Amino acid sequence: MALTPEYKRALEDVFSKNGWNADRVNRSFANKGGYEVLSMERGGVFCIEVQFRQARLEEYGVRVGVALRLANTMDRFSCYLFTDGNYRPLHEPVTIPVLYGFTAQLN
């Protein structure tokens, strides 16, 4: 499902208010050195999905990622871990407020 025009406008407002842009998302995680941005949209909402590069399939038997899913109210994220190929939460999502930097949410 693609982002609706109304959702895109509201999301642009959130991006503008927080000084975000798509390049900044990727740079924020690239600078952490162990993360790779997989996606920034899932199910018609803004959802940053990041995989931990250091979680190697050969060593652990599973690749782990973290998702930051923006709530419809656009004032908080639901954050949860997922495994490679299975984008459902592995646990009850943790709710965190929208903060300036993306890595603050990830941490």
Side-chain angles (χ1 to χ4, degrees):
M1 176 192 300
L3 303 179
T4 66
E6 298 81 21
Y7 186 87
K8 282 183 183 180
R9 280 192 294 278
L11 188 57
E12 286 171 4
D13 290 343
V14 171
F15 266 59
S16 177
K17 177 181 171 186
N18 290 287
W20 298 347
N21 62 50
D23 288 337
R24 186 174 188 160
V25 173
N26 287 309
R27 280 194 322 269
S28 291
F29 293 114
N31 289 339
K32 294 295 269 185
Y35 306 108
E36 175 185 356
V37 176
L38 301 176
S39 171
M40 291 198 302
E41 184 268 325
R42 178 155 310 275
V45 298
F46 181 66
C47 182
I48 305 169
E49 293 174 342
V50 179
Q51 186 172 56
F52 301 102
R53 281 191 224 119
Q54 66 269 33
R56 295 177 190 85
L57 187 61
E58 304 81 41
E59 293 179 25
Y60 304 109
V62 65
R63 291 186 183 166
V64 178
V66 64
L68 299 169
R69 186 179 183 93
L70 189 62
N72 289 338
T73 55
M74 298 193 176
D75 63 344
R76 64 189 177 276
F77 285 97
S78 289
C79 181
Y80 56 89
L81 297 174
F82 63 91
T83 56
D84 194 28
N86 179 5
Y87 297 100
R88 291 175 299 181
L90 293 173
H91 55 84
E92 188 69 31
V94 176
T95 301
I96 53 175
V98 169
L99 301 172
Y100 180 72
F102 291 106
T103 53
Q105 271 88 213
L106 182 65
N107 290 333

